[in-house]
Amino acid sequence: MTEKIQQKTSKVNLRTPEVMNLVKAEVESHYRSPLVEYLRTTGRYLSGGGITVKLAKAFGFCYGVERAIDLAYATTKVFPTKRIYLLGEIIHNPEVNDQLTAMGIKRLQAVQGRYSLDGLTADDVVIIPAFGAEVETMKRIQQIGCQIVDTTCGDVMTVWKRVRQYRNEGATSIIHGKAWHEETKATASRAIGEDGNGQYLVVYNLEETDYVCNYIRYGGDKQEFLQKFKGAVSPGFDPDIHLRHVGVANQTTMMRGETEEVQRRICKAIEDRYGKENLHKHFRFFDTICGATQERQDALLDMLDREKLDLLIVVGGYNSSNTSHLAEIGEGRLPTYFIKNAEKLISSQQIRHWNLHEGREVITEGWLGEGEINVGITAGASCPNNLIEETIQRLFELRGIGVESLLANSK
């Protein structure tokens, strides 16, 4: 099966001017923030009560996320009488997904890694999320005959194009990503191909990459390898065979520097094994990092280098890969608090935030204090501006300051 699967339903144009005007008004009412737009366009800081808030130059919704949300909203306008289902989450932000549920869009949940499509009929509409869906899932939905609204991000589809090319060249796709992430699962399914003979291996970090590199150079215990990468390799994967010719790709929301290092290390291992003169026969790679992801990482690094900050707040969904990497960058430089909304700012003494290392929320005491403090704020590509505004408002509330008065004085 190829990406050009025959549709059983006619294509419907959701992006007509009339529909988009309706969508724009509704989306803005739910997610727009005049405060954030003012600070973004003017580049100003907001100060009062001993707190100065500074925003990164790039943060929040990217084009791919905006497009996915627009299409989901448009679906409710174009198909007002049909049952509308969403495959999992449209993006990794709980507030946005809850809003879609409130609009009547039902969620299809995965059970043991496989979406339950029981009860779907040809009269139903299914929305595919921004990170795409596995080939087999798409095939099952199309066999039912559902109307499909595909919001898959263009950057994700660029990666799919690359892994299909690797497959056609007989190369194994080594995917730098999270094997459990929806996007990586979708990419891996494209690496396998219609005949099921394509191969993939997902590496999560540099430790796993080094293990693979050592196997490429020297061989090793095949069973140990397969056990280590259980759930992260294609069916029938044989490291003694399928690591001879490889192409590197990635989950688009990984950190660029790490993906580049994965590429460099695997390239060197292949070169050591087969010789520099034979490198082109055994190794392929393309830059498939999402531009918006990189822009937000660069903007955060720029703010950390340029500004004197006492702490950083990262706003976004806890299961958002690109947001997690922003928090990871911050942690390496200064106290960093990863929150999903303003409610996590309990008081000036307590903040409830996501601990990346423990995989759970924790409470930190004495995080804000009473003195002068500079706070940096950024947000992942799936975080709407209204959540950022609420975070800023809550920060100043903790010092008894209303944001409206600060804006009036700053203009």
PDB file of all heavy atoms in Angstrom, residues 50 52 64 67 73 77 82 99 131 133 162 165 194 247 270 304 317 341-342 347 382 386 402:
ATOM      1  N   GLY A  50       8.276  44.013  41.486  1.00  0.00           N
ATOM      2  CA  GLY A  50       9.555  43.329  41.630  1.00  0.00           C
ATOM      3  C   GLY A  50       9.775  42.203  40.634  1.00  0.00           C
ATOM      4  O   GLY A  50      10.798  41.530  40.655  1.00  0.00           O
ATOM      5  N   THR A  52      10.012  41.068  36.564  1.00  0.00           N
ATOM      6  CA  THR A  52      10.132  41.442  35.156  1.00  0.00           C
ATOM      7  C   THR A  52       9.978  40.173  34.318  1.00  0.00           C
ATOM      8  O   THR A  52      10.706  39.201  34.530  1.00  0.00           O
ATOM      9  CB  THR A  52      11.494  42.090  34.855  1.00  0.00           C
ATOM     10  OG1 THR A  52      11.612  43.310  35.602  1.00  0.00           O
ATOM     11  CG2 THR A  52      11.626  42.412  33.366  1.00  0.00           C
ATOM     12  N   GLY A  64       2.006  24.509  11.414  1.00  0.00           N
ATOM     13  CA  GLY A  64       1.420  23.182  11.331  1.00  0.00           C
ATOM     14  C   GLY A  64       0.331  22.963  12.363  1.00  0.00           C
ATOM     15  O   GLY A  64      -0.712  22.358  12.073  1.00  0.00           O
ATOM     16  N   ARG A  67      -2.719  25.113  11.433  1.00  0.00           N
ATOM     17  CA  ARG A  67      -3.445  24.486  10.333  1.00  0.00           C
ATOM     18  C   ARG A  67      -4.292  23.316  10.843  1.00  0.00           C
ATOM     19  O   ARG A  67      -5.456  23.161  10.446  1.00  0.00           O
ATOM     20  CB  ARG A  67      -2.464  24.003   9.271  1.00  0.00           C
ATOM     21  CG  ARG A  67      -3.098  23.218   8.132  1.00  0.00           C
ATOM     22  CD  ARG A  67      -2.045  22.769   7.127  1.00  0.00           C
ATOM     23  NE  ARG A  67      -2.628  21.860   6.133  1.00  0.00           N
ATOM     24  CZ  ARG A  67      -2.757  20.562   6.283  1.00  0.00           C
ATOM     25  NH1 ARG A  67      -2.345  19.976   7.424  1.00  0.00           N
ATOM     26  NH2 ARG A  67      -3.284  19.809   5.329  1.00  0.00           N
ATOM     27  N   TYR A  73     -11.623  22.673  13.446  1.00  0.00           N
ATOM     28  CA  TYR A  73     -12.760  23.581  13.631  1.00  0.00           C
ATOM     29  C   TYR A  73     -13.613  23.620  12.362  1.00  0.00           C
ATOM     30  O   TYR A  73     -14.844  23.630  12.428  1.00  0.00           O
ATOM     31  CB  TYR A  73     -12.268  24.990  13.979  1.00  0.00           C
ATOM     32  CG  TYR A  73     -11.981  25.217  15.436  1.00  0.00           C
ATOM     33  CD1 TYR A  73     -11.027  24.475  16.118  1.00  0.00           C
ATOM     34  CD2 TYR A  73     -12.663  26.188  16.164  1.00  0.00           C
ATOM     35  CE1 TYR A  73     -10.756  24.678  17.455  1.00  0.00           C
ATOM     36  CE2 TYR A  73     -12.400  26.422  17.514  1.00  0.00           C
ATOM     37  CZ  TYR A  73     -11.453  25.655  18.151  1.00  0.00           C
ATOM     38  OH  TYR A  73     -11.196  25.862  19.488  1.00  0.00           O
ATOM     39  N   LYS A  77     -17.891  22.852  11.007  1.00  0.00           N
ATOM     40  CA  LYS A  77     -18.733  23.757  10.212  1.00  0.00           C
ATOM     41  C   LYS A  77     -19.251  23.069   8.947  1.00  0.00           C
ATOM     42  O   LYS A  77     -20.404  23.270   8.546  1.00  0.00           O
ATOM     43  CB  LYS A  77     -17.933  25.004   9.799  1.00  0.00           C
ATOM     44  CG  LYS A  77     -17.198  25.707  10.922  1.00  0.00           C
ATOM     45  CD  LYS A  77     -18.136  26.231  11.973  1.00  0.00           C
ATOM     46  CE  LYS A  77     -17.355  26.959  13.067  1.00  0.00           C
ATOM     47  NZ  LYS A  77     -18.218  27.307  14.223  1.00  0.00           N
ATOM     48  N   LYS A  82     -22.942  15.331  11.011  1.00  0.00           N
ATOM     49  CA  LYS A  82     -22.264  14.034  11.061  1.00  0.00           C
ATOM     50  C   LYS A  82     -21.562  13.827  12.399  1.00  0.00           C
ATOM     51  O   LYS A  82     -21.211  14.780  13.101  1.00  0.00           O
ATOM     52  CB  LYS A  82     -21.230  13.932   9.930  1.00  0.00           C
ATOM     53  CG  LYS A  82     -21.831  13.739   8.545  1.00  0.00           C
ATOM     54  CD  LYS A  82     -20.724  13.591   7.507  1.00  0.00           C
ATOM     55  CE  LYS A  82     -21.297  13.285   6.126  1.00  0.00           C
ATOM     56  NZ  LYS A  82     -21.823  11.904   6.048  1.00  0.00           N
ATOM     57  N   GLN A  99     -11.024  21.378  24.386  1.00  0.00           N
ATOM     58  CA  GLN A  99     -11.894  22.314  23.680  1.00  0.00           C
ATOM     59  C   GLN A  99     -12.592  21.634  22.504  1.00  0.00           C
ATOM     60  O   GLN A  99     -13.785  21.832  22.254  1.00  0.00           O
ATOM     61  CB  GLN A  99     -11.090  23.517  23.186  1.00  0.00           C
ATOM     62  CG  GLN A  99     -11.900  24.565  22.443  1.00  0.00           C
ATOM     63  CD  GLN A  99     -12.976  25.182  23.297  1.00  0.00           C
ATOM     64  OE1 GLN A  99     -12.724  25.660  24.402  1.00  0.00           O
ATOM     65  NE2 GLN A  99     -14.214  25.158  22.819  1.00  0.00           N
ATOM     66  N   PHE A 131       0.462  14.899  13.881  1.00  0.00           N
ATOM     67  CA  PHE A 131       1.622  14.013  13.768  1.00  0.00           C
ATOM     68  C   PHE A 131       1.361  12.817  12.871  1.00  0.00           C
ATOM     69  O   PHE A 131       2.208  11.937  12.746  1.00  0.00           O
ATOM     70  CB  PHE A 131       2.108  13.507  15.137  1.00  0.00           C
ATOM     71  CG  PHE A 131       1.207  13.813  16.290  1.00  0.00           C
ATOM     72  CD1 PHE A 131       0.092  13.050  16.545  1.00  0.00           C
ATOM     73  CD2 PHE A 131       1.483  14.888  17.124  1.00  0.00           C
ATOM     74  CE1 PHE A 131      -0.739  13.338  17.613  1.00  0.00           C
ATOM     75  CE2 PHE A 131       0.650  15.183  18.185  1.00  0.00           C
ATOM     76  CZ  PHE A 131      -0.450  14.417  18.437  1.00  0.00           C
ATOM     77  N   ALA A 133      -0.713   9.374  11.189  1.00  0.00           N
ATOM     78  CA  ALA A 133      -1.177   8.078  11.703  1.00  0.00           C
ATOM     79  C   ALA A 133      -0.474   6.975  10.944  1.00  0.00           C
ATOM     80  O   ALA A 133       0.019   7.163   9.836  1.00  0.00           O
ATOM     81  CB  ALA A 133      -2.694   7.952  11.548  1.00  0.00           C
ATOM     82  N   ARG A 162      11.387  10.767   2.986  1.00  0.00           N
ATOM     83  CA  ARG A 162      12.775  10.309   3.113  1.00  0.00           C
ATOM     84  C   ARG A 162      12.857   8.829   3.445  1.00  0.00           C
ATOM     85  O   ARG A 162      13.650   8.082   2.868  1.00  0.00           O
ATOM     86  CB  ARG A 162      13.509  11.128   4.186  1.00  0.00           C
ATOM     87  CG  ARG A 162      13.668  12.594   3.849  1.00  0.00           C
ATOM     88  CD  ARG A 162      14.312  12.807   2.501  1.00  0.00           C
ATOM     89  NE  ARG A 162      14.488  14.225   2.212  1.00  0.00           N
ATOM     90  CZ  ARG A 162      14.768  14.709   1.019  1.00  0.00           C
ATOM     91  NH1 ARG A 162      14.871  13.880  -0.018  1.00  0.00           N
ATOM     92  NH2 ARG A 162      14.921  16.008   0.832  1.00  0.00           N
ATOM     93  N   GLN A 165      12.155   6.726   0.564  1.00  0.00           N
ATOM     94  CA  GLN A 165      13.318   6.700  -0.332  1.00  0.00           C
ATOM     95  C   GLN A 165      14.360   5.711   0.171  1.00  0.00           C
ATOM     96  O   GLN A 165      14.923   4.932  -0.610  1.00  0.00           O
ATOM     97  CB  GLN A 165      13.925   8.097  -0.439  1.00  0.00           C
ATOM     98  CG  GLN A 165      15.126   8.184  -1.370  1.00  0.00           C
ATOM     99  CD  GLN A 165      15.644   9.610  -1.503  1.00  0.00           C
ATOM    100  OE1 GLN A 165      14.927  10.574  -1.238  1.00  0.00           O
ATOM    101  NE2 GLN A 165      16.902   9.751  -1.892  1.00  0.00           N
ATOM    102  N   GLU A 194       4.617  -1.166   1.692  1.00  0.00           N
ATOM    103  CA  GLU A 194       3.441  -1.958   1.331  1.00  0.00           C
ATOM    104  C   GLU A 194       3.697  -3.455   1.435  1.00  0.00           C
ATOM    105  O   GLU A 194       2.851  -4.225   1.877  1.00  0.00           O
ATOM    106  CB  GLU A 194       3.012  -1.611  -0.097  1.00  0.00           C
ATOM    107  CG  GLU A 194       1.797  -2.355  -0.572  1.00  0.00           C
ATOM    108  CD  GLU A 194       1.386  -1.944  -1.976  1.00  0.00           C
ATOM    109  OE1 GLU A 194       2.071  -1.094  -2.558  1.00  0.00           O
ATOM    110  OE2 GLU A 194       0.392  -2.483  -2.471  1.00  0.00           O
ATOM    111  N   GLY A 247      19.931   4.664   6.596  1.00  0.00           N
ATOM    112  CA  GLY A 247      19.642   6.072   6.373  1.00  0.00           C
ATOM    113  C   GLY A 247      19.069   6.649   7.649  1.00  0.00           C
ATOM    114  O   GLY A 247      18.225   6.025   8.296  1.00  0.00           O
ATOM    115  N   ILE A 270      29.856   3.553  10.300  1.00  0.00           N
ATOM    116  CA  ILE A 270      29.789   2.951   8.962  1.00  0.00           C
ATOM    117  C   ILE A 270      31.124   3.109   8.242  1.00  0.00           C
ATOM    118  O   ILE A 270      31.622   2.168   7.589  1.00  0.00           O
ATOM    119  CB  ILE A 270      28.651   3.602   8.144  1.00  0.00           C
ATOM    120  CG1 ILE A 270      27.283   3.225   8.724  1.00  0.00           C
ATOM    121  CG2 ILE A 270      28.749   3.215   6.675  1.00  0.00           C
ATOM    122  CD1 ILE A 270      26.855   1.799   8.494  1.00  0.00           C
ATOM    123  N   LEU A 304      18.441  33.012  26.694  1.00  0.00           N
ATOM    124  CA  LEU A 304      19.286  32.603  27.819  1.00  0.00           C
ATOM    125  C   LEU A 304      20.665  33.231  27.739  1.00  0.00           C
ATOM    126  O   LEU A 304      21.291  33.538  28.762  1.00  0.00           O
ATOM    127  CB  LEU A 304      19.396  31.075  27.849  1.00  0.00           C
ATOM    128  CG  LEU A 304      18.099  30.311  28.133  1.00  0.00           C
ATOM    129  CD1 LEU A 304      18.329  28.807  28.043  1.00  0.00           C
ATOM    130  CD2 LEU A 304      17.531  30.677  29.499  1.00  0.00           C
ATOM    131  N   GLY A 317       1.934  21.182  26.976  1.00  0.00           N
ATOM    132  CA  GLY A 317       1.507  19.847  27.373  1.00  0.00           C
ATOM    133  C   GLY A 317       2.685  18.985  27.791  1.00  0.00           C
ATOM    134  O   GLY A 317       3.737  19.006  27.159  1.00  0.00           O
ATOM    135  N   ASN A 341      -0.370  24.828  32.668  1.00  0.00           N
ATOM    136  CA  ASN A 341      -1.241  26.003  32.709  1.00  0.00           C
ATOM    137  C   ASN A 341      -0.962  26.815  33.974  1.00  0.00           C
ATOM    138  O   ASN A 341      -0.173  26.409  34.833  1.00  0.00           O
ATOM    139  CB  ASN A 341      -2.725  25.610  32.635  1.00  0.00           C
ATOM    140  CG  ASN A 341      -3.119  24.622  33.723  1.00  0.00           C
ATOM    141  OD1 ASN A 341      -2.708  24.739  34.873  1.00  0.00           O
ATOM    142  ND2 ASN A 341      -3.926  23.622  33.354  1.00  0.00           N
ATOM    143  N   ALA A 342      -1.624  27.967  34.074  1.00  0.00           N
ATOM    144  CA  ALA A 342      -1.372  28.905  35.169  1.00  0.00           C
ATOM    145  C   ALA A 342      -1.796  28.371  36.527  1.00  0.00           C
ATOM    146  O   ALA A 342      -1.315  28.855  37.564  1.00  0.00           O
ATOM    147  CB  ALA A 342      -2.079  30.223  34.882  1.00  0.00           C
ATOM    148  N   SER A 347       1.288  29.404  44.544  1.00  0.00           N
ATOM    149  CA  SER A 347       1.539  30.605  45.338  1.00  0.00           C
ATOM    150  C   SER A 347       2.956  31.071  45.045  1.00  0.00           C
ATOM    151  O   SER A 347       3.673  30.440  44.262  1.00  0.00           O
ATOM    152  CB  SER A 347       1.384  30.305  46.843  1.00  0.00           C
ATOM    153  OG  SER A 347       2.440  29.443  47.279  1.00  0.00           O
ATOM    154  N   SER A 382       2.732  23.672  20.462  1.00  0.00           N
ATOM    155  CA  SER A 382       1.333  23.281  20.608  1.00  0.00           C
ATOM    156  C   SER A 382       0.622  24.053  21.718  1.00  0.00           C
ATOM    157  O   SER A 382      -0.493  23.703  22.104  1.00  0.00           O
ATOM    158  CB  SER A 382       1.231  21.771  20.887  1.00  0.00           C
ATOM    159  OG  SER A 382       2.035  21.418  21.992  1.00  0.00           O
ATOM    160  N   ASN A 386      -3.370  32.083  24.805  1.00  0.00           N
ATOM    161  CA  ASN A 386      -4.160  32.405  25.989  1.00  0.00           C
ATOM    162  C   ASN A 386      -3.585  31.747  27.246  1.00  0.00           C
ATOM    163  O   ASN A 386      -3.669  32.311  28.346  1.00  0.00           O
ATOM    164  CB  ASN A 386      -5.625  32.006  25.798  1.00  0.00           C
ATOM    165  CG  ASN A 386      -5.831  30.504  25.700  1.00  0.00           C
ATOM    166  OD1 ASN A 386      -5.220  29.842  24.872  1.00  0.00           O
ATOM    167  ND2 ASN A 386      -6.688  29.959  26.553  1.00  0.00           N
ATOM    168  N   GLY A 402      -2.034  43.883  38.981  1.00  0.00           N
ATOM    169  CA  GLY A 402      -2.894  43.592  37.839  1.00  0.00           C
ATOM    170  C   GLY A 402      -2.166  43.916  36.545  1.00  0.00           C
ATOM    171  O   GLY A 402      -1.569  44.984  36.415  1.00  0.00           O
TER     172      GLY A 402
END
